[in-house]
Amino acid sequence: MTDARGPAGRPGGSDARHAPGAPCWVSLMVHGLAATQRFYGALFGWEFRPGPQQLGPYARALLDGREVAGIGQLPPDRRLPIAWTPYLASDDVDRTAEAVRSCGGTVGVGPLDSDEAGRMAICSDPAGAVFGVWQAAAHLGTAVTGVPGTPAWNELTTFESAGVVKFYATVFGYEQEPAVSAGHDYVTLRLGGRPVAGVHGVGSALRRDRGPHWMTYFEVAGLDESLEHLVGLGGHVLEPGRDSALGRVATVADPEGARFSLLQSP
């Protein structure tokens, strides 16, 4: 996260349909579903109820009765990376999937129906970063933001921003706002003038064993207390708390290794 970005959807919640291109949901696939639910339930105060089961056991996380995220279980024989995946809203996921392919991306799963909830696809951009596409029906996506325990921001870390930003702008219609500082490869993606995500090019500093990837930031009331709580629950602090213009942030991992960031707003 850099000073060039700004959290979207803050504060409060919305039961309205997300604008096409807006991050509308985050989902995590793990091997130990029950243990992961206990971890995030204790960390963020989430409760869980069953969601669509097409791809296996899946639960939606709720905060005060409102949906904020999803956690599913990977088949035992699937050794996929454990990672939070942001979903970007679409009015027509089939058309968006075709745009992803025509712009050099890949569609790995779908498009397919998810019960009565909506229609989805799992894609990757030309550099390999994985993201989802969601066409809402009964399930509109994240219903509350701007309070502790909710997604606050999504940021793509990649080798360089120019080519991949062109991909996302073509597929989803984003406006682009490059960082003004020289030598800093960062672009804020906007919809209707509102910041919705960031793209950070880090060149050779990007670890090859991870590759380009999206990072989800979750709001917390107090960063230091949340980090202490996370460690006590079996999580790991990867990058300690640091200050930014919009608050304090730290990069962490859950017990299965899924990375995410915690953000304490001013």
Side-chain angles (χ1 to χ4, degrees):
M1 185 183 67
T2 76
D3 296 352
R5 67 76 153 164
R10 176 193 310 270
S14 173
D15 294 316
R17 185 178 297 270
H18 293 264
C24 62
W25 189 244
V26 290
S27 191
L28 174 65
M29 300 297 290
V30 298
H31 293 289
L33 181 58
T36 300
Q37 289 179 351
R38 288 193 295 270
F39 171 83
Y40 286 100
L43 182 64
F44 292 139
W46 290 350
E47 298 177 338
F48 296 89
R49 70 180 177 201
Q53 309 291 306
Q54 277 88 348
L55 301 179
Y58 188 82
R60 291 178 182 157
L62 290 81
L63 189 65
D64 296 328
R66 306 183 75 182
E67 296 174 345
V68 294
I71 300 178
Q73 183 166 312
L74 288 166
D77 58 341
R78 298 294 295 274
R79 311 311 299 181
L80 298 174
I82 308 299
W84 281 99
T85 300
Y87 280 71
L88 308 175
S90 171
D91 285 340
D92 186 335
V93 69
D94 295 84
R95 185 172 59 191
T96 300
E98 284 303 314
V100 166
R101 294 188 185 98
S102 67
C103 291
T106 301
V107 180
V109 177
L112 55 84
D113 289 329
S114 184
D115 287 345
E116 302 300 317
R119 191 162 170 81
M120 61 163 285
I122 303 293
C123 307
S124 57
D125 65 31
V130 176
F131 63 96
V133 181
W134 181 252
Q135 179 182 337
H139 174 61
L140 299 181
T142 302
V144 59
T145 57
V147 297
T150 62
W153 185 247
N154 289 283
E155 186 171 280
L156 171 62
T157 300
T158 190
F159 293 110
E160 56 84 27
S161 69
V164 76
V165 164
K166 182 178 180 181
F167 165 83
Y168 285 102
T170 302
V171 174
F172 294 104
Y174 297 129
E175 304 142 13
Q176 308 168 37
E177 181 188 5
V180 294
S181 56
H184 185 54
D185 185 8
Y186 193 94
V187 178
T188 300
L189 304 178
R190 293 176 172 267
L191 286 173
R194 172 173 165 261
V196 295
V199 179
H200 189 193
V202 298
S204 60
L206 182 61
R207 287 175 47 178
R208 296 282 174 170
D209 61 340
R210 292 206 67 209
H213 60 276
W214 281 93
M215 172 76 73
T216 297
Y217 291 71
F218 291 96
E219 189 83 32
V220 295
L223 184 62
D224 294 336
E225 297 86 346
S226 295
L227 291 175
E228 183 177 352
H229 193 194
L230 175 136
V231 171
L233 294 169
H236 307 280
V237 178
L238 305 178
E239 296 180 19
R242 56 198 184 275
D243 292 326
S244 76
L246 293 167
R248 297 191 67 223
V249 64
T251 303
V252 299
D254 69 19
E256 282 207 28
R259 297 177 178 229
F260 58 102
S261 290
L262 300 178
L263 171 66
Q264 177 188 339
S265 297

